[in-house]
Amino acid sequence: MSGFDTVIVVDWSAAQGVRPIGKDAIWIGVVSQGEAEEPVHMPTRLAAEAWLADRLRAEIATGRRVLAGFDFPFGYPAGFARQVTGSDDPLVLWDWLAERIEDDAKGVNNRFEIASQLNRIFTGVGPFWGKPWQWKERFDDIPFKGTDRTQTTVAEKRACDTVAKASSSVWQLNAHPTVGGQALMGLPMLSRLRRIDGVAVWPFQDWRDAPAVLAEIWPGLIESAVPKDGIRDRHQVRLLAHVLAALPADELAAMMQIDAPEEGWILGAEHRDHLTGLARNAPPEAYGARVKPDHSDLTPPPLSNDCFALPPGVDWTPVDTALDLLRKRLRGVTGTESVAVLGADGRILASAVNAIRANPPAPNAAVDGYGFAHSATGDGAQSLPLTNGRAAAGAPFTGTVPQGHAIRILTGAILPNGVDTVVLEEDTRTDATHVAFNGPVKPGANTRRAGEDVDVGAPLFDDGHRLTPPDLALLSATGSATVLVRKRLRVGVLSTGDELASPGATEDPARTYDANRPMLLAIAARWGHEAVDLGHVADNRDILRAALDAADCHAILTSGGASAGDEDHVSALLRDEGALSSWRIALKPGRPLALGMRGGVPVFGLPGNPVAAFVCALIFARPALSVLAGGTWVEPEGFTVPADFSKMKKPGRREYLRARMGPDGVQVFGSEGSGRISGLSWADGLVELKEGAATITPGDPVHFLPYASFGLV
Ligand code: AMP
Ligand code: MG
C-alpha cells in the first residue's frame, strides 16, 4: 500500500529514569505487511535504541522496506544549526549532539547541561528555557520562563510547526510538552541509527530508493481520533502506524515531496484532516483488537528454483567449485524471534548487537584496599586519615572522600567521589583512624576504568554470528536481556530404499537397517538445527512424493536413491517436479549427490552409503544449512600433522579418509570401502587429500580435520 512493507512509529520520551509501562514511557507501534503488532514498551532510551537498531537491521536483511517515524523535530528553526556547528546541515548538528549528550541504562542524562552550553553560544538569554523547580539554583543559562528570553537569532518555530498547528516549541525543556528535551535526547540516537547500512533520513537525504527511511512524525495530527481510555501513547503509535501503512504509495510519496533541507518537516503536516479521517475509519486492529502476537517474526521469501543449477557442460565438478556455487546462491530462509539471552546458546543472531551499557559500567576497585585521590600523595611514607564508612561491590559509598583522606574499599566497589587510586590492602598498615603506606603509588593504581573492557555502544557481534557460552556472558555484562535471533532451521531427514528396515524389526538378511537417519538427525541437531525425523520410505515415487509433501521443513536431507539408476526415485522426482541438479562431484567417497529445489525447499539428496552420506553431509550440507539458518558460511579448521600411513593417490578427485590421531601421527582406517560404517566410529576425523596425485609415506605432512572442526563435538 504505502510503498513501505513495514511502518514503525516511535513515541519518544526525554524522561529521566527507567519508565514503567504507562505514559511518559517510550512506545513503539508497528504495522508490517498489513498486520498490526502489539505496541512495545521500552523502559529506557538505550533499550529503545537497541530494539530499533535490531529491527531496522532485521527488516533490511530480510529485504523489507521500512519507514520509521519519530515524534520529535529532526531540525531546529533556521539558523540554529549554523550558529552551533558552522554548518546548515542538520545532520552535522545531530553528530554534535551525539558527541555530547550522555544517557545511561537508568535514563540518567545530561540534557540540561548541554542545553546550558547551547544557550551560552547565543547572545542574550535562550533560546532553550524551562527547568524543574528543584534546579532553580542550577543551570543559570536556562531561564524558568519562556518570556524571560531575550535572544533574537532564531525563530520560535519552524515553518512546519506553524503549518501543523503544533503548540509545542522545540526550545521548551520542561513541563508538558517537552519536545525540546525529546529532540536533545532523540537526535543523538538518530545520528547512530542513520549510520546503519541502507538507512536514509527524510527529507535531508535521498530517501527514494533507501531500504529504510527515518522521518519526523507527529501523533498530534490525528489527535482527535485517538481513544481517550487506557494508555494514550500506546493508542497513538498503533493508530498512526496504521494510518501511514494504509496510505496509498503515490499519496505518501506526494506527502514526502518536501523541500526543507534545514528545518525538516513533519510528515503529513499539511494533511491533518485527511490523516484524522483515515484514523477514524481504521479497522478494529488499529484500535488494539486482534493484533498479531509475535511481533518479531519476519519471514524472508523462499529461495528460487534454480538455486542449484550447474553451469552447462560441466562433467565432474570439483569440490571447491560446488561449494562456491552453494555459497553464492544460498541465503537465510528462516524468520526471526526475540529470545532471552539465558536461552540463546547456539542461536544465530538476526542482527548485529552493540553494547547497551559499558563494562564495567562505572570506575571501580580492582582489589581490596584503601582508596584516595592520587594528587594528595607523594613519595615516601604516607599516612592518610580514614573517612568513616566503606565502599563495597553493590553497596557504593555515596558521600565524597575529602582530599587527603582515604576510605576502605573492596573489590568491585564503585570509586566514590574523591577517589581515583587504590592501594592494595597488603601494602598498608592501619589503625582505627589512619592508613599508612609507602609512596609513590601510580595514579589510578588498582582501579578499573569505566568501559575499559567494552564501551557503551561498542559493536559486539555481527548479524549471522552463532552465540557461544562466553558470548552470553558478554551480552549479559553489557546489558542485553534478549537478542533477536533467527528461528531455528527445521531440517527434515528422510531415508529411502526398499531394502531398509528399522533395528528391532523382524530379522531378515535381505534387509538393511537404516543407519543414515539416526546419524543425520543427530548431526543436524548438533549443528543447532531443529532435526525433524521424516522416517524411511520405499523406492516408490508416490510414497516419496507424499513424504516430501507432508514435511514442514526449511531444508531436507535424504539418503539413498540419488543416482540416475532405475530405483533412484529421489533424483527422478526432483527432476520431474522440482529443479534438480545431479552433481557429479569429483569426491571420494561421495558421488552421487542430487541437489534440488522442491516448492522453495532445498533438498540435499545424499548418497545411500553411510560413509559417503556422512562425508557429503559434513562437506556440503554443513555450510549450506548454516547459511540457510541465517548464519555464516562455515569451513572446517584443520591442521597439518605427520602421516602414520602410506598411500598412492590417483589424480582427479578429492578424497577424505577416515582417520584418527595416534602417537606417531595420523592413522587411517584399514579399508576405504564406503559401506564400512565401523570406520566412521573408529575415526575421530578425516584426512583430506586434495585433487592432485600424491604419494604419501609415513612422516609426510597431511591435512587432518577433526570431527570437532565440523561442529561434531
Ligand atoms: P543407493 O544410493 O540407494 O543406491 O544406496 C547405496 C547403498 O547404500 C546400498 O547398499 C543401500 O542399501 C545403502 N543404504 C542406503 N540407504 C541406507 C541407509 N539409510 N542405511 C544404511 N544403508 C543404506
Ligand atoms: Mg537405494
Side-chain angles (χ1 to χ4, degrees):
M1 287 282 279
S2 62
F4 290 94
D5 303 298
T6 300
V7 173
I8 298 174
V9 168
V10 183
D11 187 307
W12 196 238
S13 162
Q16 189 95 354
V18 178
R19 309 302 303 179
I21 289 190
K23 71 183 189 62
D24 291 339
I26 295 169
W27 284 94
I28 304 178
V30 182
V31 172
S32 188
Q33 307 229 308
E35 284 195 81
E37 298 175 6
E38 184 54 40
V40 284
H41 153 266
M42 292 289 156
T44 62
R45 282 174 293 277
L46 292 193
E49 179 174 339
W51 188 98
L52 285 162
D54 270 7
R55 183 74 192 240
L56 287 172
R57 287 200 182 93
E59 294 282 340
I60 294 167
T62 44
R64 300 182 185 207
R65 191 154 189 248
V66 49
L67 174 68
F70 297 81
D71 72 333
F72 53 82
F74 279 24
Y76 286 86
F80 179 77
R82 172 168 292 270
Q83 184 79 17
V84 176
T85 66
S87 160
D88 292 330
D89 184 349
L91 300 182
V92 175
L93 182 62
W94 289 15
D95 293 348
W96 190 97
L97 288 170
E99 273 168 32
R100 288 163 180 82
I101 288 282
E102 291 163 13
D103 197 5
D104 72 10
K106 290 199 170 120
V108 176
N109 63 76
N110 63 345
R111 67 186 189 279
F112 287 97
E113 276 93 343
I114 300 304
S116 304
Q117 197 178 327
L118 284 165
N119 272 0
R120 285 197 290 278
I121 296 174
F122 288 80
T123 311
V125 182
F128 288 99
W129 67 277
K131 56 186 172 184
W133 268 109
Q134 68 267 27
W135 288 354
K136 58 177 181 296
E137 305 302 332
R138 294 180 66 188
F139 307 119
D140 289 344
D141 298 294
I142 304 176
F144 263 113
K145 289 189 286 181
T147 48
D148 290 342
R149 291 175 300 165
T150 59
Q151 74 79 28
T152 52
T153 317
V154 287
E156 189 58 19
K157 287 193 173 172
R158 301 174 298 162
C160 66
D161 297 324
T162 312
V163 169
K165 301 191 186 73
S167 57
S168 52
S169 159
V170 71
W171 308 125
Q172 185 183 341
L173 296 175
N174 193 45
H176 206 70
T178 58
V179 174
Q182 296 199 20
L184 288 180
M185 297 313 299
L187 295 177
M189 164 190 63
L190 294 186
S191 139
R192 292 182 287 271
L193 289 183
R194 83 173 182 85
R195 289 192 158 83
I196 293 173
D197 257 0
V199 174
V201 182
W202 174 84
F204 305 140
Q205 293 181 301
D206 188 2
W207 51 273
R208 281 168 191 83
D209 294 317
V213 179
L214 310 182
E216 178 182 341
I217 45 107
W218 183 43
L221 288 175
I222 56 164
E223 179 103 14
S224 62
V226 176
K228 304 278 181 283
D229 63 312
I231 302 169
R232 238 177 120 66
D233 295 347
R234 180 198 286 186
H235 286 310
Q236 278 179 352
V237 296
R238 178 159 41 209
L239 197 52
L240 189 55
H242 175 88
V243 168
L244 294 174
L247 275 174
D250 52 346
E251 227 177 84
L252 183 59
M255 267 186 205
M256 293 177 81
Q257 217 55 256
I258 290 288
D259 183 33
E262 188 185 346
E263 293 190 339
W265 198 261
I266 297 167
L267 181 56
E270 62 283 50
H271 302 281
R272 176 189 284 266
D273 292 345
H274 180 51
L275 296 176
T276 304
L278 285 176
R280 288 229 172 81
N281 293 324
E285 62 264 30
Y287 284 92
R290 286 203 331 265
V291 293
K292 190 173 163 212
D294 183 359
H295 58 265
S296 55
D297 181 9
L298 308 178
T299 311
L303 294 170
S304 73
N305 257 357
D306 55 5
C307 240
F308 295 131
L310 280 176
V314 170
D315 189 13
W316 285 97
T317 309
V319 173
D320 285 337
T321 310
L323 289 173
D324 273 352
L325 273 173
L326 287 177
R327 182 181 193 152
K328 283 199 196 96
R329 305 248 176 98
L330 297 176
R331 57 172 171 71
V333 295
T334 59
T336 59
E337 63 185 338
S338 256
V339 296
V341 167
L342 273 174
D345 182 34
R347 300 302 298 270
I348 294 171
L349 290 175
S351 74
V353 180
N354 293 20
I356 295 175
R357 69 140 53 165
N359 184 48
N364 65 73
V367 297
D368 289 354
Y370 295 86
F372 47 82
H374 178 266
S375 54
T377 63
D379 290 0
Q382 312 286 315
S383 173
L384 303 180
L386 280 171
T387 299
N388 270 338
R390 60 165 213 171
F397 178 76
T398 49
T400 297
V401 177
Q403 176 79 355
H405 290 231
I407 187 169
R408 175 80 174 128
I409 192 163
L410 303 179
T411 307
I414 293 182
L415 299 185
N417 283 337
V419 172
D420 59 20
T421 301
V422 174
V423 59
L424 187 66
E425 176 165 356
E426 286 84 329
D427 296 340
T428 64
R429 301 265 303 277
T430 177
D431 58 21
T433 61
H434 282 71
V435 58
F437 55 90
N438 278 320
V441 179
K442 270 204 206 145
N446 298 313
T447 64
R448 306 176 181 130
R449 239 181 346 99
E452 71 173 22
D453 179 24
V454 184
D455 269 330
V456 68
L460 300 180
F461 304 110
D462 288 334
D463 179 4
H465 174 78
R466 189 164 173 218
L467 293 171
T468 65
D471 298 342
L472 305 190
L474 181 56
L475 284 167
S476 300
T478 53
S480 285
T482 61
V483 277
L484 188 72
V485 296
R486 294 284 190 158
K487 289 197 170 161
R488 278 188 204 279
L489 188 78
R490 278 193 311 282
V491 178
V493 175
L494 179 75
S495 295
T496 70
D498 285 340
E499 74 280 25
L500 296 184
S502 295
T506 322
E507 177 55 31
D508 176 351
R511 300 242 154 206
T512 302
Y513 287 148
D514 181 358
N516 289 342
R517 193 156 45 97
M519 173 175 74
L520 294 171
L521 283 166
I523 288 176
R526 291 223 184 175
W527 289 339
H529 310 305
E530 191 181 322
V532 182
D533 185 0
L534 302 178
H536 72 249
V537 296
D539 287 320
N540 172 303
R541 184 90 57 102
D542 293 330
I543 295 175
L544 177 64
R545 183 189 300 114
L548 292 179
D549 283 347
D552 174 23
C553 294
H554 296 111
I556 295 178
L557 305 180
T558 67
S559 66
S563 358
D566 293 349
E567 298 299 328
D568 291 316
H569 295 281
V570 174
S571 22
L573 185 76
L574 289 174
R575 186 180 310 112
D576 292 355
E577 297 184 5
L580 170 84
S581 267
S582 284
W583 289 35
R584 298 210 297 161
I585 293 168
L587 169 67
K588 181 186 171 191
R591 67 200 155 100
L593 187 63
L595 297 179
M597 295 294 302
R598 202 164 173 275
V601 175
V603 180
F604 298 82
L606 303 172
N609 276 311
V611 176
F614 179 77
V615 168
C616 285
L618 265 47
I619 304 298
F620 296 104
R622 177 171 178 247
L625 293 177
S626 173
V627 170
L628 291 168
T632 54
W633 182 263
V634 283
E635 274 162 8
E637 257 182 67
F639 41 92
T640 304
V641 293
D644 186 13
F645 63 91
S646 306
K647 181 177 163 75
M648 291 278 291
K649 180 191 171 293
K650 286 193 229 127
R653 60 185 178 173
R654 185 176 299 185
E655 290 189 28
Y656 288 96
L657 311 176
R658 282 149 280 178
R660 77 177 183 197
M661 286 303 297
D664 302 317
V666 65
Q667 307 164 348
V668 296
F669 191 59
S671 159
E672 289 183 16
S674 69
R676 300 286 189 100
I677 298 173
S678 65
L680 289 178
S681 275
W682 172 88
D684 56 20
L686 301 172
V687 159
E688 180 182 73
L689 304 177
K690 288 275 165 118
E691 282 73 2
T695 307
I696 295 158
T697 53
D700 288 349
V702 290
H703 195 52
F704 177 62
L705 301 164
Y707 284 165
S709 72
F710 293 102
L712 302 184
V713 274

